[in-house]
Amino acid sequence: MASLFDAVTLDDLKLANRMVMAPLTRSRAGAGNVPTDLMATYYTQRASAGLIITEATQVCPEGQGYLATPGIHSADQVAGWKKVNEQVHAAGGKTCLQLWHVGRISHSFFQPNGAAPVAPSAIQPAMKAYTDKGFEDCPMPRALETAEVQALVQVYKKAAQHAKEAGFDLVEVHGANGYLIDQFLRDKTNQRTDVYGGSIENRARFLMEVVRAVLEVYPAHRVGCRISPVSQFNDIDDSNPAALFGYVAQELGRLKLGYLHIIEGQTGGSRDADQRVDFAGLRAAFKQAGGRLTMVNNGYTKEMAESALSSGGADLVAFGVPFLANPDLVERFRQGHALNTPDQSTFYGGGEKGYTDYPRAAA
Ligand code: PHB
């Protein structure tokens, strides 16, 4: 049975170990939402992870909902990410860009021409966005026209092309956490009456079209997808998450994706208060249908991770805050070293403090 420190291969791609750096919003992009040299340093410090999944990265200007999050839609952004990739690769790491659109979890402040954020349906989230005036209510979104949904699929494809140009080894389609794709998937936020709403098949159509468009750019083993079946983060929910995500896992498996990344329980919160979905069953459904690897996520310790790999049917484990606070997390786990204490006050925004200044363990 695999250990955290065993390599894993996806066709021509070899990950040095099973420890994945989870996507983490750090809000330190530069002007124009361009990745900076400091971001390159931060990711390179963590290159011993088997795989680094970048912070969520907007596929278009309308996809932004937070300050200083990077994009992958402008030439400058591609150039910035290229530097990140060159440095991480030189240090032996592998990178995956997370393709993101926030949908309704935004504010006119972030939108071109101060427009309303877009969503599957005009349902206002009970959420706040942090703008130049501080926290403000996310406004009522505008429901996308059918043709606009189809155009957005091409926006994701273009973003994947940019990711390839920038040198990313893989891309991850962000279908989790109440952002745009998840807003289509779940029935609390999708009340459409066209082919993108109603039945499970229809609500999953946008996700599947996005994934298929990305597969025109990257081979299947280099594409992952992230879902959060029971998470209510960002004011979202579904009346039957087991059926919805059972279908999604199977359909993604049929496309032979490189991995399915599942957030268990509430994002950043309780892992097991909500028992509506059998996560091991979802992993099995993905693999039985032809999917490659499964990645588990949410509050894993080293011990939980070893047990998920040895008996839980998982292949990869994503660690968020532990990687944030420990650039050498792989070595610390291997040697049994204590971990640094994360500083919450520097998670979002700022500079080097709490970003590139966490120490490595003494040798
Ligand atoms: C965030 O910026 O707070 C954020 C972004 C992406 C996620 C979750 C949280 O999936």
Side-chain angles (χ1 to χ4, degrees):
M1 275 295 170
S3 123
L4 270 179
F5 311 109
D6 290 341
V8 59
T9 51
L10 277 166
D11 291 3
D12 59 341
L13 184 72
K14 183 172 176 182
L15 309 183
N17 58 64
R18 313 288 181 125
M19 291 177 60
V20 175
M21 179 177 169
L24 295 163
T25 293
R26 305 304 309 272
S27 291
R28 282 167 168 88
N33 301 316
V34 173
T36 63
D37 291 348
L38 188 64
M39 286 168 62
T41 300
Y42 160 76
Y43 283 117
T44 305
Q45 287 174 342
R46 289 154 179 80
S48 58
L51 178 67
I52 291 172
I53 305 175
T54 66
E55 61 207 278
T57 298
Q58 55 265 7
V59 295
C60 57
E62 295 80 3
Q64 186 175 358
Y66 303 85
L67 293 172
T69 53
I72 189 72
H73 49 87
S74 78
D76 287 348
Q77 292 162 356
V78 172
W81 281 123
K82 202 167 187 178
K83 281 204 224 170
V84 173
N85 281 315
E86 282 164 2
Q87 292 181 35
V88 175
H89 288 152
K94 294 280 190 274
T95 56
C96 175
L97 181 76
Q98 194 191 52
L99 299 170
W100 188 40
H101 190 308
V102 297
R104 68 180 193 150
I105 306 300
S106 185
H107 190 279
S108 311
F109 170 74
F110 294 107
Q111 297 295 315
N113 305 315
V118 296
S121 302
I123 301 170
Q124 190 174 4
M127 293 297 296
K128 293 193 185 291
Y130 191 77
T131 73
D132 58 341
K133 298 194 183 64
F135 283 104
E136 294 189 87
D137 287 342
C138 291
M140 176 64 83
R142 178 178 70 81
L144 290 157
E145 304 287 343
T146 305
E148 289 181 297
V149 181
Q150 288 154 352
L152 265 175
V153 171
Q154 297 309 311
V155 166
Y156 276 86
K157 178 175 175 183
K158 186 85 195 164
Q161 282 164 343
H162 284 156
K164 198 167 189 185
E165 223 177 287
F168 283 101
D169 300 293
L170 303 91
V171 286
E172 174 177 284
V173 173
H174 192 344
N177 291 340
Y179 296 113
L180 183 65
I181 291 175
D182 207 16
Q183 291 160 28
F184 273 88
L185 287 171
R186 294 201 254 179
D187 57 13
K188 181 171 179 179
T189 44
N190 183 344
Q191 294 176 6
R192 298 179 71 89
T193 53
D194 64 0
V195 293
Y196 295 101
S199 65
I200 284 175
E201 290 81 350
N202 279 359
R203 284 184 276 126
R205 188 179 308 280
F206 180 55
L207 166 65
M208 297 312 297
E209 288 185 355
V210 165
V211 171
R212 279 194 214 98
V214 168
L215 290 175
E216 291 170 23
V217 181
Y218 274 85
H221 66 282
R222 289 174 179 266
V223 176
C225 181
R226 187 181 215 208
I227 56 174
S228 55
V230 299
S231 182
Q232 290 161 6
F233 183 75
N234 282 328
D235 189 20
I236 200 159
D237 207 355
D238 191 76
S239 57
N240 191 349
L244 170 62
F245 287 96
Y247 174 82
V248 165
Q250 176 190 297
E251 292 302 301
L252 293 173
R254 282 196 177 142
L255 295 178
K256 303 191 166 38
L257 289 200
Y259 69 83
L260 179 62
H261 180 179
I262 306 178
I263 300 172
E264 298 163 342
Q266 299 302 317
T267 306
S270 161
R271 291 180 40 80
D272 39 34
D274 188 327
Q275 299 283 337
R276 289 179 294 168
V277 170
D278 164 21
F279 297 112
L282 278 192
R283 296 197 288 273
F286 173 72
K287 288 196 156 186
Q288 270 158 25
R292 303 290 296 274
L293 304 176
T294 56
M295 186 187 302
V296 294
N297 177 263
N298 206 6
Y300 274 81
T301 60
K302 179 186 172 188
E303 291 67 31
M304 287 161 65
E306 290 286 9
S307 130
L309 293 184
S310 62
S311 60
D315 304 298
L316 300 163
V317 182
F319 299 92
V321 171
F323 259 119
L324 178 158
N326 298 276
D328 55 344
L329 186 66
V330 176
E331 201 51 25
R332 285 182 192 239
F333 273 4
R334 206 195 293 268
Q335 304 293 342
H337 289 311
L339 302 185
N340 293 324
T341 304
D343 171 15
Q344 295 252 7
S345 73
T346 50
F347 278 9
Y348 306 105
E352 296 176 13
K353 187 170 179 302
Y355 191 54
T356 50
D357 63 354
Y358 283 105
R360 308 178 86 86

